[in-house]
Amino acid sequence: MAANSPRRRMTGPQRRAQLIEVSRGIFATKGPDAASMEEIAAAAGVSKPVVYEHFGTKERLYETVVQHEMEVLDSTIRQALSLGRSRYRIEQAVLALLTYVEENPEGFSIISRDPGIAGGYETLLNNATESVTPILADAFVRAGFDPSMAVLYGNCLVGMVSQTARWWLEKRSPDKETVAAHIVNLCWNGLAGMESAPSLRSKAEVAEAETAEQGATFGAGAEADPLRGA
């Protein structure tokens, strides 16, 4: 065998995938404005024209990186929300997001940095809300609540999870299972004590009130939270 065998040349798709992977780390560290095509090319071991050949511009490369991360995360969350009882599906979706943050911190840093970019984090949050809303609407119907309000609560839930994931990206403590359990504890047990027709109270009403209206129990057994999709 020759001492120095020639390096195997990458195919076009292989090179494209390599450039996306390399640029992800640089974009995550420096941001799209400070990152340069020169350093991306150098990190990939190619000339700058090769990067331009695959993506045309730095902006297009950045958009491709964002889109790649979005597709991975969106698919993961949708799958987590597809089977099981309502609470279990929400638990699995929260855990799926935190697992993505844990395993792909650079990717999450990128997509959460610029939420308004086309096809970016804001789109992901909208998609998540659309997936969670029917789950909540079913629970509202079973509890005798107005299901049209489910989209409002879906936005509240998704916003809470998203903000906590951003915080956990930096802290990484406690572990993701504990974080997911506490998020769902706040969400689900908050739903369990929810009022059917909430309203803001005046100071006089608060002072006079002796007992609060009792809300429905969403999570009490199979009848309140039936198995779906199994």
Side-chain angles (χ1 to χ4, degrees):
M1 179 181 292
N4 295 311
S5 57
R7 179 184 299 178
R8 185 175 180 181
R9 185 180 182 87
M10 287 186 181
T11 65
Q14 288 173 335
R15 178 64 73 191
R16 182 180 177 85
Q18 182 219 19
L19 292 171
I20 291 174
E21 180 68 23
V22 167
S23 61
R24 180 177 67 174
I26 295 173
F27 283 136
T29 301
K30 294 191 170 185
D33 294 333
S36 70
M37 295 293 258
E38 288 85 355
E39 63 184 319
I40 291 171
V46 299
S47 64
K48 189 166 66 170
V50 171
V51 186
Y52 281 107
E53 178 184 345
H54 281 275
F55 299 100
T57 65
K58 184 177 70 171
E59 290 71 24
R60 179 56 186 157
L61 172 56
Y62 181 69
E63 290 173 2
T64 302
V65 171
V66 171
Q67 186 62 38
H68 172 76
E69 295 302 319
M70 282 291 305
E71 289 172 357
V72 172
L73 183 52
D74 187 55
S75 175
T76 300
I77 292 176
R78 286 182 184 275
Q79 183 176 359
L81 286 168
S82 64
L83 297 174
R85 301 187 190 282
S86 299
R87 176 167 179 163
Y88 176 79
R89 283 187 281 171
I90 292 173
E91 287 175 345
Q92 292 306 298
V94 174
L95 186 59
L97 174 59
L98 295 176
T99 298
Y100 172 83
V101 173
E102 180 180 60
E103 297 178 352
N104 304 277
E106 293 176 343
F108 185 73
S109 176
I110 288 171
I111 63 176
S112 62
R113 174 187 286 124
D114 301 308
I117 189 172
Y121 196 53
E122 187 173 321
T123 300
L124 174 71
L125 298 182
N126 290 337
N127 291 344
T129 300
E130 289 179 2
S131 297
V132 167
T133 295
I135 298 173
L136 297 179
D138 286 345
F140 278 34
V141 170
R142 293 193 300 271
F145 290 1
D146 179 2
S148 70
M149 290 291 103
V151 65
L152 187 158
Y153 286 86
N155 275 283
C156 293
L157 172 59
V158 170
M160 177 175 66
V161 174
S162 169
Q163 183 58 37
T164 306
R166 289 180 173 180
W167 166 81
W168 192 71
L169 174 66
E170 302 297 330
K171 300 297 183 181
R172 299 302 185 89
S173 179
D175 61 82
K176 64 184 178 184
E177 288 81 7
T178 300
V179 174
H182 280 276
I183 289 175
V184 179
N185 181 43
L186 174 59
C187 162
W188 200 257
N189 289 314
L191 289 173
M194 206 165 68
E195 298 173 0
S196 60
S199 62
L200 301 180
R201 310 298 169 93
S202 67
K203 289 183 179 180
E205 288 173 327
V206 171
E208 294 175 2
E210 294 182 357
T211 59
E213 179 183 357
Q214 296 300 307
T217 301
F218 282 16
E223 182 177 349
D225 187 11
L227 187 63
R228 303 279 183 177

